[in-house]
Amino acid sequence: MCELPENPLLKLGGVADTELGRVTLASLDHLQEAISIFDQDLRLMVWNRQFVELLGFPPDLMRVGLPFADIIGYNACRGEYGPGDPEVLVAERVRLARQFQSHSFERVRPDGTVLEVRGQPLAGGGFITVYQDITARKRAEAELLENHQQLETRIQARTAELRALNQQLAREIEERKTIAAALRESDNRIRLITDTVPVLIAYLDNQQQYTFVNQKHIEWFGAPADAFLGQAFGDLLEPALARRLRNHVGMALDGRNTHVEYEMTTPAGRMYVRSYFIPHISPKTESGGKQVIGCFILGEDLTEYWQTQMALNQAQKLKAVGQLTGGIAHDFNNLLTIILGNLAAVEEGLRSRPEQYKAVSTAMNAARRGADLTRRLLAFSRRQTLQPCLLSPPLQLQEIAELLKRTLGTSIDLKTVADPNVWNIQADPGQLTNAILNLAINARDAMPDGGELRIEAKNVTLDMDNAGRFPDMVPGDYVCFIVADDGLGMESAVLERAFEPFFTTKGFGAGNGLGLSMVYGFVRQSGGHIRIHSQPSKGTTIELCLPRYISKGKERIVGSTVGSSIDESWMRGSESILLVEDDPDIRDFVGRTLLGLGYTVREASNGKAALDLLDSDAPVELLLSDLAMPGGISGRDFLIEARRRRPSLKILCMSGNADRTIPNLTALDYSLLEKPFLKPDLARAVRQVLDRSNGVAEAAPD
């Protein structure tokens, strides 16, 4: 705390010291914290109403000069310090108190109340202690930890921050020892109390003019006390906020307690605040009445609480929407499998009839667009199939730049920058390319008159404090892809909904609103995070962070996303296949397709029926099973049991969710075919699994 050139309280227009001390001490009863002051002989000199109520002391026990040992003895006898001889407990605490050292700790009372106790020695002997009831905060922290385990990292970061703040407070207290000699007068002791309390404290007279502000008030507004004292309330606030808060000041000066929550702009940035307006009522006058002579304003900083709450609400909303869209996409993929499969069969038989063939081809194209839509939905819900490879970010940016040069047009100045020492990552190259292309095209649309688009890749290391500001982010090394434009920017209301599926600011028919949601799903599914910074007329910057890949050997870096062609002449066969699918239409399409390719097919509509077939002597060389099915046993449990009964059985799974993870099965046990698929996709996937020795499993090619 900086030493002021003179005491602002002395500017109260000639108010006597005793009256000033009485008014100031009276304000202590309006604080939420309990206060006590003992002199050098450990005798109680000052306390407030909260000290008696919060710690549960009988009012008749309190008196000026009450020995510290009597208060400690009262607590010890009623079990405040736990089991043990009360005399021993009292003696130990008196010994510690006589050391007159700064201390800060938490104590749990027998009734479960949690107190935060902070004490500081006073010049010339004695000490001041502040007690704060933090039970609600502790209970809220416990509930948040129990209900939202995914915020564990955030809580740990907050705990570390609190420890750092406590250490900083201890250092500040040590620094303030140099000015403790000047704190001999009663008004200076009260100043120390109000500056120690972690809230804004101000006092207004009945003319709504400042007569006192504490140090926290000065720090928030970045103005000295002289800028407030004698000035009308609200002069340093935004006009609209000032008008709103003056109504609460008026209520307090009418004798009514009130409080309000609001946003305000300070030199430190935008903050969320809760302020209490408490009337200061004088003692009875000669006529026997009472009057309001001023009001206290106590302000709390709720910024971090609201930021955490909003981040949690947004994460929960996106998770719920993701679950909904994932379920819709799963069902839609099943329908598209039936539609595409049967349309393909019809299409093959109509090649000699041009008009009918064109109609079916048009329907096929529409179904394929529906399949692309479901892939985007699955990308947002994080249920798409990823094929991660070891990638070099500079090589990826080089390929992406070549694609963008043909897409952006001459009015966009494209610049790509990659740190030569940027780390490798492991990600799906196609999805990464699509993600950055989506962001670049959005940037182009935000610059209708042209502008500069900058795409950069650089290394970023997040520590506990930085990672804790983003839900589900863990500390560590990341590669950050930055896509920045100098276009139109986004309003705050648009920013809040930017990642929601189907939300778009483009005109009707100009976009489906799945671009950013698909990027969000890909990044989160890849273990990364995405952030947007944007202001209207100042452009938009999107940071896409993916985890650094730690090499485990001599892996090959992928430099191109183009796959190799596959020879389809070997896709027929004569092996025996067990088909397990609960949807009769899908089962009919797949069964007919496999029979047409020469395979022997046995069908089952659920896991139990399929297990009965596996228990028979019937030969089965390949199990082709859906992952989601009814019938008393899930697709995953069925696969585990099938592997147990026939260890050498080859497995190919079908899924509309494209979830690659099956509990208790290693990566060598199965392959995956995404729905929807056509006859060539099915034939190719079946043949690959049958021809592969029991080795590395892979997703069936598209």
PDB file of all heavy atoms in Angstrom, residues 207-227:
ATOM      1  N   GLN A 207     -25.476  14.105   1.162  1.00  0.00           N
ATOM      2  CA  GLN A 207     -25.537  14.849  -0.095  1.00  0.00           C
ATOM      3  C   GLN A 207     -24.973  14.028  -1.253  1.00  0.00           C
ATOM      4  O   GLN A 207     -24.706  14.570  -2.326  1.00  0.00           O
ATOM      5  CB  GLN A 207     -24.748  16.164   0.044  1.00  0.00           C
ATOM      6  CG  GLN A 207     -25.259  17.081   1.142  1.00  0.00           C
ATOM      7  CD  GLN A 207     -26.710  17.485   0.922  1.00  0.00           C
ATOM      8  OE1 GLN A 207     -27.089  17.839  -0.196  1.00  0.00           O
ATOM      9  NE2 GLN A 207     -27.515  17.439   1.985  1.00  0.00           N
ATOM     10  N   GLN A 208     -24.748  12.741  -1.000  1.00  0.00           N
ATOM     11  CA  GLN A 208     -24.212  11.810  -1.999  1.00  0.00           C
ATOM     12  C   GLN A 208     -22.808  12.207  -2.444  1.00  0.00           C
ATOM     13  O   GLN A 208     -22.413  11.994  -3.591  1.00  0.00           O
ATOM     14  CB  GLN A 208     -25.144  11.689  -3.213  1.00  0.00           C
ATOM     15  CG  GLN A 208     -26.502  11.115  -2.893  1.00  0.00           C
ATOM     16  CD  GLN A 208     -27.278  10.714  -4.145  1.00  0.00           C
ATOM     17  OE1 GLN A 208     -26.713  10.583  -5.213  1.00  0.00           O
ATOM     18  NE2 GLN A 208     -28.590  10.520  -3.989  1.00  0.00           N
ATOM     19  N   GLN A 209     -22.013  12.733  -1.512  1.00  0.00           N
ATOM     20  CA  GLN A 209     -20.627  13.078  -1.801  1.00  0.00           C
ATOM     21  C   GLN A 209     -19.695  12.140  -1.027  1.00  0.00           C
ATOM     22  O   GLN A 209     -19.970  11.768   0.122  1.00  0.00           O
ATOM     23  CB  GLN A 209     -20.332  14.531  -1.420  1.00  0.00           C
ATOM     24  CG  GLN A 209     -21.051  15.548  -2.291  1.00  0.00           C
ATOM     25  CD  GLN A 209     -20.681  16.973  -1.944  1.00  0.00           C
ATOM     26  OE1 GLN A 209     -20.181  17.239  -0.847  1.00  0.00           O
ATOM     27  NE2 GLN A 209     -20.930  17.898  -2.863  1.00  0.00           N
ATOM     28  N   TYR A 210     -18.566  11.759  -1.677  1.00  0.00           N
ATOM     29  CA  TYR A 210     -17.594  10.879  -1.050  1.00  0.00           C
ATOM     30  C   TYR A 210     -16.918  11.587   0.124  1.00  0.00           C
ATOM     31  O   TYR A 210     -16.454  12.729   0.006  1.00  0.00           O
ATOM     32  CB  TYR A 210     -16.502  10.471  -2.042  1.00  0.00           C
ATOM     33  CG  TYR A 210     -16.920   9.458  -3.076  1.00  0.00           C
ATOM     34  CD1 TYR A 210     -17.274   9.864  -4.358  1.00  0.00           C
ATOM     35  CD2 TYR A 210     -16.944   8.100  -2.782  1.00  0.00           C
ATOM     36  CE1 TYR A 210     -17.643   8.934  -5.324  1.00  0.00           C
ATOM     37  CE2 TYR A 210     -17.309   7.160  -3.741  1.00  0.00           C
ATOM     38  CZ  TYR A 210     -17.666   7.600  -5.008  1.00  0.00           C
ATOM     39  OH  TYR A 210     -18.021   6.681  -5.950  1.00  0.00           O
ATOM     40  N   THR A 211     -16.835  10.903   1.246  1.00  0.00           N
ATOM     41  CA  THR A 211     -16.021  11.373   2.367  1.00  0.00           C
ATOM     42  C   THR A 211     -14.943  10.358   2.753  1.00  0.00           C
ATOM     43  O   THR A 211     -14.081  10.665   3.567  1.00  0.00           O
ATOM     44  CB  THR A 211     -16.909  11.654   3.601  1.00  0.00           C
ATOM     45  OG1 THR A 211     -17.557  10.444   3.991  1.00  0.00           O
ATOM     46  CG2 THR A 211     -17.945  12.719   3.288  1.00  0.00           C
ATOM     47  N   PHE A 212     -15.003   9.145   2.159  1.00  0.00           N
ATOM     48  CA  PHE A 212     -13.991   8.130   2.460  1.00  0.00           C
ATOM     49  C   PHE A 212     -14.004   7.081   1.349  1.00  0.00           C
ATOM     50  O   PHE A 212     -15.060   6.675   0.864  1.00  0.00           O
ATOM     51  CB  PHE A 212     -14.282   7.454   3.808  1.00  0.00           C
ATOM     52  CG  PHE A 212     -13.374   6.283   4.095  1.00  0.00           C
ATOM     53  CD1 PHE A 212     -12.093   6.483   4.579  1.00  0.00           C
ATOM     54  CD2 PHE A 212     -13.798   4.977   3.873  1.00  0.00           C
ATOM     55  CE1 PHE A 212     -11.257   5.411   4.832  1.00  0.00           C
ATOM     56  CE2 PHE A 212     -12.969   3.900   4.117  1.00  0.00           C
ATOM     57  CZ  PHE A 212     -11.688   4.117   4.607  1.00  0.00           C
ATOM     58  N   VAL A 213     -12.808   6.663   0.933  1.00  0.00           N
ATOM     59  CA  VAL A 213     -12.631   5.500   0.057  1.00  0.00           C
ATOM     60  C   VAL A 213     -11.422   4.728   0.562  1.00  0.00           C
ATOM     61  O   VAL A 213     -10.470   5.323   1.077  1.00  0.00           O
ATOM     62  CB  VAL A 213     -12.419   5.900  -1.426  1.00  0.00           C
ATOM     63  CG1 VAL A 213     -13.661   6.528  -2.010  1.00  0.00           C
ATOM     64  CG2 VAL A 213     -11.224   6.812  -1.589  1.00  0.00           C
ATOM     65  N   ASN A 214     -11.451   3.389   0.425  1.00  0.00           N
ATOM     66  CA  ASN A 214     -10.314   2.590   0.872  1.00  0.00           C
ATOM     67  C   ASN A 214      -9.351   2.342  -0.287  1.00  0.00           C
ATOM     68  O   ASN A 214      -9.580   2.742  -1.436  1.00  0.00           O
ATOM     69  CB  ASN A 214     -10.773   1.286   1.524  1.00  0.00           C
ATOM     70  CG  ASN A 214     -11.296   0.283   0.505  1.00  0.00           C
ATOM     71  OD1 ASN A 214     -11.744   0.658  -0.572  1.00  0.00           O
ATOM     72  ND2 ASN A 214     -11.234  -0.999   0.846  1.00  0.00           N
ATOM     73  N   GLN A 215      -8.245   1.649   0.020  1.00  0.00           N
ATOM     74  CA  GLN A 215      -7.191   1.446  -0.959  1.00  0.00           C
ATOM     75  C   GLN A 215      -7.671   0.629  -2.158  1.00  0.00           C
ATOM     76  O   GLN A 215      -7.285   0.892  -3.304  1.00  0.00           O
ATOM     77  CB  GLN A 215      -6.001   0.736  -0.298  1.00  0.00           C
ATOM     78  CG  GLN A 215      -4.803   0.528  -1.214  1.00  0.00           C
ATOM     79  CD  GLN A 215      -4.158   1.828  -1.653  1.00  0.00           C
ATOM     80  OE1 GLN A 215      -4.289   2.842  -0.972  1.00  0.00           O
ATOM     81  NE2 GLN A 215      -3.489   1.808  -2.793  1.00  0.00           N
ATOM     82  N   LYS A 216      -8.529  -0.354  -1.925  1.00  0.00           N
ATOM     83  CA  LYS A 216      -9.028  -1.175  -3.020  1.00  0.00           C
ATOM     84  C   LYS A 216      -9.816  -0.325  -4.006  1.00  0.00           C
ATOM     85  O   LYS A 216      -9.760  -0.529  -5.229  1.00  0.00           O
ATOM     86  CB  LYS A 216      -9.906  -2.294  -2.458  1.00  0.00           C
ATOM     87  CG  LYS A 216     -10.046  -3.498  -3.377  1.00  0.00           C
ATOM     88  CD  LYS A 216      -8.734  -4.226  -3.493  1.00  0.00           C
ATOM     89  CE  LYS A 216      -8.878  -5.504  -4.294  1.00  0.00           C
ATOM     90  NZ  LYS A 216      -7.599  -6.206  -4.457  1.00  0.00           N
ATOM     91  N   HIS A 217     -10.552   0.622  -3.483  1.00  0.00           N
ATOM     92  CA  HIS A 217     -11.312   1.541  -4.329  1.00  0.00           C
ATOM     93  C   HIS A 217     -10.361   2.343  -5.213  1.00  0.00           C
ATOM     94  O   HIS A 217     -10.604   2.547  -6.415  1.00  0.00           O
ATOM     95  CB  HIS A 217     -12.115   2.479  -3.430  1.00  0.00           C
ATOM     96  CG  HIS A 217     -13.379   2.983  -4.050  1.00  0.00           C
ATOM     97  ND1 HIS A 217     -13.372   3.896  -5.069  1.00  0.00           N
ATOM     98  CD2 HIS A 217     -14.685   2.704  -3.803  1.00  0.00           C
ATOM     99  CE1 HIS A 217     -14.622   4.176  -5.415  1.00  0.00           C
ATOM    100  NE2 HIS A 217     -15.442   3.453  -4.674  1.00  0.00           N
ATOM    101  N   ILE A 218      -9.270   2.781  -4.644  1.00  0.00           N
ATOM    102  CA  ILE A 218      -8.281   3.563  -5.394  1.00  0.00           C
ATOM    103  C   ILE A 218      -7.647   2.719  -6.491  1.00  0.00           C
ATOM    104  O   ILE A 218      -7.463   3.168  -7.629  1.00  0.00           O
ATOM    105  CB  ILE A 218      -7.204   4.094  -4.422  1.00  0.00           C
ATOM    106  CG1 ILE A 218      -7.834   5.099  -3.438  1.00  0.00           C
ATOM    107  CG2 ILE A 218      -6.050   4.734  -5.173  1.00  0.00           C
ATOM    108  CD1 ILE A 218      -6.913   5.499  -2.308  1.00  0.00           C
ATOM    109  N   GLU A 219      -7.314   1.453  -6.170  1.00  0.00           N
ATOM    110  CA  GLU A 219      -6.670   0.579  -7.146  1.00  0.00           C
ATOM    111  C   GLU A 219      -7.597   0.267  -8.315  1.00  0.00           C
ATOM    112  O   GLU A 219      -7.163   0.239  -9.467  1.00  0.00           O
ATOM    113  CB  GLU A 219      -6.236  -0.721  -6.461  1.00  0.00           C
ATOM    114  CG  GLU A 219      -5.117  -0.534  -5.452  1.00  0.00           C
ATOM    115  CD  GLU A 219      -4.840  -1.810  -4.674  1.00  0.00           C
ATOM    116  OE1 GLU A 219      -5.550  -2.809  -4.919  1.00  0.00           O
ATOM    117  OE2 GLU A 219      -3.923  -1.800  -3.820  1.00  0.00           O
ATOM    118  N   TRP A 220      -8.869   0.033  -8.038  1.00  0.00           N
ATOM    119  CA  TRP A 220      -9.811  -0.311  -9.107  1.00  0.00           C
ATOM    120  C   TRP A 220      -9.947   0.823 -10.112  1.00  0.00           C
ATOM    121  O   TRP A 220      -9.927   0.602 -11.314  1.00  0.00           O
ATOM    122  CB  TRP A 220     -11.176  -0.636  -8.509  1.00  0.00           C
ATOM    123  CG  TRP A 220     -11.370  -2.081  -8.211  1.00  0.00           C
ATOM    124  CD1 TRP A 220     -10.408  -2.962  -7.881  1.00  0.00           C
ATOM    125  CD2 TRP A 220     -12.604  -2.801  -8.208  1.00  0.00           C
ATOM    126  NE1 TRP A 220     -10.955  -4.196  -7.658  1.00  0.00           N
ATOM    127  CE2 TRP A 220     -12.300  -4.132  -7.856  1.00  0.00           C
ATOM    128  CE3 TRP A 220     -13.915  -2.456  -8.457  1.00  0.00           C
ATOM    129  CZ2 TRP A 220     -13.276  -5.113  -7.759  1.00  0.00           C
ATOM    130  CZ3 TRP A 220     -14.898  -3.420  -8.356  1.00  0.00           C
ATOM    131  CH2 TRP A 220     -14.574  -4.746  -8.011  1.00  0.00           C
ATOM    132  N   PHE A 221     -10.126   2.044  -9.609  1.00  0.00           N
ATOM    133  CA  PHE A 221     -10.383   3.168 -10.496  1.00  0.00           C
ATOM    134  C   PHE A 221      -9.107   3.835 -10.988  1.00  0.00           C
ATOM    135  O   PHE A 221      -9.147   4.675 -11.883  1.00  0.00           O
ATOM    136  CB  PHE A 221     -11.264   4.200  -9.784  1.00  0.00           C
ATOM    137  CG  PHE A 221     -12.689   3.762  -9.635  1.00  0.00           C
ATOM    138  CD1 PHE A 221     -13.116   3.124  -8.486  1.00  0.00           C
ATOM    139  CD2 PHE A 221     -13.604   3.969 -10.654  1.00  0.00           C
ATOM    140  CE1 PHE A 221     -14.429   2.711  -8.345  1.00  0.00           C
ATOM    141  CE2 PHE A 221     -14.925   3.568 -10.517  1.00  0.00           C
ATOM    142  CZ  PHE A 221     -15.340   2.933  -9.366  1.00  0.00           C
ATOM    143  N   GLY A 222      -7.955   3.455 -10.409  1.00  0.00           N
ATOM    144  CA  GLY A 222      -6.697   4.042 -10.855  1.00  0.00           C
ATOM    145  C   GLY A 222      -6.632   5.535 -10.617  1.00  0.00           C
ATOM    146  O   GLY A 222      -5.998   6.271 -11.389  1.00  0.00           O
ATOM    147  N   ALA A 223      -7.292   6.006  -9.591  1.00  0.00           N
ATOM    148  CA  ALA A 223      -7.301   7.438  -9.269  1.00  0.00           C
ATOM    149  C   ALA A 223      -7.011   7.608  -7.785  1.00  0.00           C
ATOM    150  O   ALA A 223      -7.416   6.779  -6.965  1.00  0.00           O
ATOM    151  CB  ALA A 223      -8.654   8.055  -9.618  1.00  0.00           C
ATOM    152  N   PRO A 224      -6.317   8.680  -7.392  1.00  0.00           N
ATOM    153  CA  PRO A 224      -6.013   8.895  -5.964  1.00  0.00           C
ATOM    154  C   PRO A 224      -7.273   9.226  -5.184  1.00  0.00           C
ATOM    155  O   PRO A 224      -8.324   9.556  -5.752  1.00  0.00           O
ATOM    156  CB  PRO A 224      -5.045  10.079  -6.000  1.00  0.00           C
ATOM    157  CG  PRO A 224      -5.372  10.805  -7.267  1.00  0.00           C
ATOM    158  CD  PRO A 224      -5.775   9.751  -8.244  1.00  0.00           C
ATOM    159  N   ALA A 225      -7.144   9.153  -3.861  1.00  0.00           N
ATOM    160  CA  ALA A 225      -8.292   9.438  -3.004  1.00  0.00           C
ATOM    161  C   ALA A 225      -8.810  10.855  -3.216  1.00  0.00           C
ATOM    162  O   ALA A 225     -10.022  11.112  -3.113  1.00  0.00           O
ATOM    163  CB  ALA A 225      -7.911   9.225  -1.535  1.00  0.00           C
ATOM    164  N   ASP A 226      -7.915  11.799  -3.530  1.00  0.00           N
ATOM    165  CA  ASP A 226      -8.340  13.186  -3.735  1.00  0.00           C
ATOM    166  C   ASP A 226      -9.346  13.315  -4.872  1.00  0.00           C
ATOM    167  O   ASP A 226     -10.141  14.256  -4.905  1.00  0.00           O
ATOM    168  CB  ASP A 226      -7.125  14.065  -4.036  1.00  0.00           C
ATOM    169  CG  ASP A 226      -6.206  14.172  -2.816  1.00  0.00           C
ATOM    170  OD1 ASP A 226      -6.687  13.860  -1.705  1.00  0.00           O
ATOM    171  OD2 ASP A 226      -5.034  14.550  -2.983  1.00  0.00           O
ATOM    172  N   ALA A 227      -9.293  12.376  -5.836  1.00  0.00           N
ATOM    173  CA  ALA A 227     -10.224  12.447  -6.961  1.00  0.00           C
ATOM    174  C   ALA A 227     -11.647  12.109  -6.538  1.00  0.00           C
ATOM    175  O   ALA A 227     -12.595  12.403  -7.273  1.00  0.00           O
ATOM    176  CB  ALA A 227      -9.775  11.495  -8.070  1.00  0.00           C
TER     177      ALA A 227
END
